Amino acid sequence: MTFINDNKKAYLFLAVCGLVYFFPFFIYGKNTIFPIVDNLDCYYVWNKIVAQSQYAWGKPSTIIAEYMNGLPRFTLVNSYSLFFVLNLIFSSFYAAAIHIFLIHMVGCFAMYAFAIKYLTKGNIAAAVLAAVVFGFREYTYAFGLSLSLLPLLIMVCIHFVQEKETKKDWIFLIAYPFLSNFQSVGIFILSAWGLLSVYFIFKNKKTGIKLLTAIVVMTGLYYLNNFPTINNLLFDSYFISHRKGFVLNGVAHQMGNIAIADEPHNLAFFAKHIFARKIFIVCAIVLYSMYRSKSSQFKLLLFITLGIVFFQCRVIILNSDTLKFLQEKFMLFRMYHFYKMFVFEIFFQAMAYAIMAAFVLSIFKQKWISYILLLTMFPFAVRLSPLWKPLLGLQWQKAYRPFNGYYSPDLFEKIKQTIALPVNQYKVASFGIDPAVASYNGLYTVDGYINNYPLDYRNKFKEVIKDDLVLINQRFGSNEFETRGHFCYLQTVGLIEKGDFQIPADKLNPMKSPQEVHWNFMALKNLECDFIISSAEISDQSNSLVLMNHFENAFYKLYLYKMK
C-alpha cells in the first residue's frame, strides 16, 4: 500500500512535520523564543500566579494579593483550563512549551481528519496540506485549543445534524467548553450552532431535539466554566469592570487599526501571510474550473471563498455604523472585542486549500506531483515556525523574546536582595519592561496587563499617567488607554517612539536614556508603590525618586528607584 493511500502513514508524516516545526526547542531550551504579547506579558504569568497552592483551588472571589493591589482570582484565571492544569503539574516554561505543542499538533491532526472525510474526497496529499496550513499557523495561545479542535467540533455538529451522534460525540461536546476559550470562539460557535439548528428544524420539519440539547449542554458548560466573568460583565458582581469605561466605538476602531498594522499579537499575521492575499486569485481560477467541470465541491468552495472575503473586510466591519449603533444602545457591544470573530479565517483558508489541492490533483493524476507536494511541507513547516527565526537569521526581535531572558530570574533575585525586605511588604511598578516580568519573579505590582479589573482602579492609575497620555495623543494620535485600558503601564512619549510600548525596551530594543517623565508621583504613591524598576534612567524633575542601584545581564540593564 503506497503512502498516498495510507492514513496511518499520513499521521506519521504529520508527526515528523511537527518535530521539524519544534526542533529549535531541542537546541535553545529555555532560551527558545516565545511570543510576547498575550503570552509572555500576561497569560503565562496569570496562570503561574494562580497555580500557587494558596490560590489554585480558591473561590472566584479569592484575592490575588500580588497583582495590582489585589484582584479577585477570576480576573486572572477565570476557568479551569488545560493550561492552568499544566501549570499545576509543570514549571512555567514546560507548561507553556507543552501547551504550544498540543495546540499545534491537535490542530494539525484534527484538520487532517476533517479534510480527509469532508473536503478532499480521500485525497491524502491535499488533506496533509490543509493540516499543515491550519495546524502550524501562529495562534493566539491564550485561546487554548479553541481553534485547534474546531474541525472536530464541526464533525460532531454534522453528526448531530445527521442524527448519527455517538457517545464519543457527547464526550467531545462536554469536554470542549473546558478546553476552549468562551470569549474568543465560544460565543460565536454557540451562535452559529443555534442558527444551524433553526435552519435544519425548518428545512427538515423536525424538532431537532438532540441538536437543541447539544446547544443547551454546551451553553450550560460554558457558563459553568466562565460564570464569574459573565456575571461580572452582565450584573456588576464583585466590582464594576473597567470595560464599562471604554469610549464609544473605541474598541472597534482600535481593533480595526490593529488589524491592518504590523502587530505581532493580532490577526494581522494571517492578513499579511503568504496565503492571505494570493488566495483570492487561486480561488477564482479553481472556482471557474470547477464551475466548468460541474464539480460537486463548487458550492462549498464558493461559500468558503465568500467567508474569506468577509474576514478580509474586518476593518470595514469593525468600524461600521451598524456596530457603532449597537454600541450606543447596548453596553455589552461596547465592552466586547469583536475582532475575535476573525480568528476563524485560518480555518476557512485551510479548507479552501484542501478543496483546491484535491481538485488540481484529481486533474493531474501522476503520483509524483502528490509526493512533491508532500515534500514541500517540511520547508513550509520551518517557514511557518517562529522558533526557527534565530537559526535562519530572520528578524524576530519585535514580536518574540527568549523565555529565560524575558523573565531574567537571576537579575530579579539581585533586585530582591537589594531591597532586602519580604516581597509582601513592598510594591513595585515597572517602566520600559512589562510588569509581568516583576510578577513572574514574585514581586507585588501596582501595574499590569489585565482584561478585566475594577473601573475604580483604572481611574486611579490614569491619574498617574494622564499628562503623558495627553502628550502621546497629541504627538501620535494614540488613545490606547481610553479605548481599552487593559495596559496599566507607566508610559512616556519616548517609550511610544519605540513603535509599541508592549514590546519591552531591553537590549534588543533599547530606549533613549534618561527618559523624561510627567507622572503624578503622589498618585503613584497612593497606589502604595514603593519602588520603580526601569530599563532606562529616569529624568525626575520633581525629585521624587532615589536611584538605589542598577543591574545588568545579557538581556536587560535595569535601574531600581525608591519612592521618597
Side-chain angles (χ1 to χ4, degrees):
M1 185 176 289
T2 63
F3 174 86
I4 56 175
N5 293 317
D6 191 337
N7 274 318
K8 291 182 179 179
K9 289 183 179 179
Y11 280 113
L12 179 61
F13 178 85
L14 291 174
V16 174
C17 287
L19 289 175
V20 171
Y21 184 92
F22 289 105
F23 179 74
F25 268 111
F26 300 104
I27 297 176
Y28 292 111
K30 289 189 177 181
N31 281 321
T32 302
I33 61 171
F34 282 73
I36 299 171
V37 183
D38 286 348
N39 293 282
L40 289 172
D41 68 348
C42 59
Y43 189 60
Y44 296 164
V45 177
W46 297 343
N47 282 272
K48 179 182 186 293
I49 292 174
V50 177
Q52 296 176 98
S53 58
Q54 66 268 36
Y55 303 130
W57 307 112
K59 296 178 180 179
S61 58
T62 300
I63 296 299
I64 308 295
E66 294 94 327
Y67 215 85
M68 294 173 67
N69 280 350
L71 288 176
R73 180 193 186 281
F74 78 89
T75 60
L76 271 70
V77 177
N78 177 62
S79 57
Y80 294 101
S81 66
L82 171 64
F83 188 53
F84 172 70
V85 173
L86 289 174
N87 272 272
L88 292 176
I89 301 172
F90 302 99
S91 66
S92 297
F93 171 78
Y94 290 106
I98 293 170
H99 191 235
I100 291 175
F101 177 82
L102 288 174
I103 287 173
H104 285 293
M105 295 312 300
V106 168
C108 189
F109 291 152
M111 189 67 209
Y112 177 82
F114 177 75
I116 201 72
K117 187 172 183 179
Y118 294 106
L119 303 176
T120 69
K121 297 183 177 180
N123 188 304
I124 285 179
V128 166
L129 170 64
V132 172
V133 168
F134 181 74
F136 296 133
R137 297 291 285 274
E138 185 175 340
Y139 289 86
T140 300
Y141 295 120
F143 292 176
L145 295 174
S146 303
L147 288 174
S148 301
L149 290 171
L150 186 59
L152 297 185
L153 182 66
I154 293 177
M155 292 176 71
V156 169
C157 178
I158 292 171
H159 293 164
F160 274 95
V161 168
Q162 296 175 341
E163 298 184 347
K164 296 179 180 179
E165 73 283 350
T166 64
K167 288 182 180 179
K168 291 181 180 179
D169 294 314
W170 280 108
I171 291 171
F172 181 86
L173 195 72
I174 292 170
Y176 186 77
F178 297 94
L179 297 172
S180 66
N181 184 291
F182 176 72
Q183 290 177 292
S184 63
V185 303
I187 189 170
F188 301 114
I189 286 172
L190 290 175
S191 301
W193 205 324
L195 291 173
L196 280 174
S197 299
V198 172
Y199 170 77
F200 284 112
I201 286 170
F202 279 100
K203 180 181 178 181
N204 301 328
K205 297 181 180 180
K206 295 181 180 179
T207 58
I209 188 66
K210 289 185 178 180
L211 195 59
L212 289 173
T213 302
I215 298 172
V216 171
V217 169
M218 282 190 69
T219 303
L221 290 174
Y222 264 125
Y223 177 75
L224 180 66
N225 206 30
N226 296 273
F227 75 90
T229 296
I230 294 173
N231 288 353
N232 173 245
L233 296 179
L234 292 179
F235 309 116
D236 293 335
S237 60
Y238 304 99
F239 58 81
I240 297 176
S241 173
H242 83 288
R243 288 171 172 262
K244 293 202 169 181
F246 289 167
V247 298
L248 182 63
N249 209 36
V251 175
H253 179 72
Q254 180 72 14
M255 291 300 101
N257 286 341
I258 286 177
I260 59 173
D262 189 19
E263 296 285 342
H265 98 289
N266 286 299
L267 300 180
F269 174 87
F270 308 133
K272 71 182 183 182
H273 193 270
I274 185 173
F275 283 129
R277 303 303 181 192
K278 296 176 182 177
I279 193 172
F280 296 115
I281 299 174
V282 180
C283 283
I285 295 172
V286 175
L287 278 170
Y288 177 74
S289 299
M290 281 185 163
Y291 178 77
R292 291 286 302 271
S293 63
K294 298 182 180 180
S295 171
S296 60
Q297 296 283 68
F298 171 78
K299 290 183 179 179
L300 179 57
L301 181 58
L302 178 62
F303 169 77
I304 292 169
T305 303
L306 293 175
I308 297 173
V309 171
F310 168 80
F311 294 127
Q312 289 291 317
C313 293
R314 59 172 67 88
V315 178
I316 298 171
I317 296 166
L318 291 173
N319 290 281
S320 65
D321 290 335
T322 301
L323 183 56
K324 185 176 180 179
F325 172 79
L326 292 172
Q327 287 183 313
E328 289 174 341
K329 298 298 181 181
F330 305 101
M331 175 62 72
L332 192 61
F333 279 85
R334 196 181 308 177
M335 295 191 296
Y336 191 77
H337 294 171
F338 283 92
Y339 80 95
K340 292 177 180 177
M341 78 171 79
F342 299 100
V343 299
F344 296 103
E345 181 178 359
I346 62 171
F347 179 61
F348 274 67
Q349 288 185 17
M351 288 194 294
Y353 277 95
I355 294 172
M356 290 188 293
F359 178 75
V360 172
L361 290 173
S362 69
I363 297 174
F364 303 98
K365 300 182 183 296
Q366 293 88 347
K367 291 182 179 180
W368 63 267
I369 297 179
S370 296
Y371 285 118
I372 289 176
L373 177 63
L374 291 169
L375 288 175
T376 61
M377 293 301 100
F378 291 117
F380 188 54
V382 171
R383 175 65 183 87
L384 287 176
S385 175
L387 309 177
W388 276 87
K389 289 188 175 185
L391 284 172
L392 298 176
L394 300 175
Q395 198 279 338
W396 56 269
Q397 290 83 356
K398 184 174 181 181
Y400 305 90
R401 285 296 182 275
F403 189 95
N404 209 41
Y406 178 86
Y407 292 121
S408 288
D410 59 326
L411 214 56
F412 276 80
E413 189 58 38
K414 293 178 182 178
I415 291 174
K416 287 188 280 188
Q417 289 173 4
T418 300
I419 295 174
L421 291 170
V423 291
N424 61 355
Q425 292 186 15
Y426 62 91
K427 294 175 182 176
V428 304
S430 299
F431 174 60
I433 63 171
D434 296 317
V437 178
S439 296
Y440 180 91
N441 286 287
L443 297 178
Y444 286 49
T445 65
V446 299
D447 48 356
Y449 173 14
I450 192 76
N451 285 324
N452 188 25
Y453 64 97
L455 178 62
D456 178 61
Y457 194 88
R458 176 182 182 269
N459 294 335
K460 289 179 180 178
F461 196 89
K462 183 181 177 182
E463 286 298 310
V464 177
I465 58 174
K466 63 179 182 180
D467 290 341
D468 277 288
L469 291 178
V470 171
L471 293 173
I472 290 168
N473 191 28
Q474 288 175 349
R475 184 162 177 181
F476 300 105
S478 173
N479 204 18
E480 168 77 20
F481 196 82
E482 295 296 334
T483 56
R484 289 201 294 170
H486 291 348
F487 301 96
C488 281
Y489 284 15
L490 296 178
Q491 300 179 32
T492 65
V493 170
L495 187 59
I496 301 300
E497 279 179 337
K498 296 304 299 176
D500 186 350
F501 72 88
Q502 299 175 41
I503 307 302
D506 53 16
K507 289 186 175 181
L508 293 173
N509 182 42
M511 181 169 54
K512 184 175 68 175
S513 187
Q515 276 288 305
E516 182 180 353
V517 302
H518 304 88
W519 304 328
N520 184 333
F521 287 100
M522 184 56 67
L524 187 58
K525 203 158 188 176
N526 289 339
L527 294 178
E528 303 178 27
C529 180
D530 302 296
F531 298 93
I532 295 177
I533 301 170
S534 173
S535 62
E537 289 184 85
I538 296 174
S539 177
D540 174 24
Q541 304 295 330
S542 65
N543 198 30
S544 300
L545 301 175
V546 176
L547 177 62
M548 293 185 66
N549 206 340
H550 68 270
F551 310 86
E552 189 170 1
N553 66 6
F555 300 94
Y556 294 113
K557 183 174 184 180
L558 300 179
Y559 299 84
L560 177 64
Y561 290 91
K562 185 175 182 179
M563 301 273 294
K564 286 186 178 179

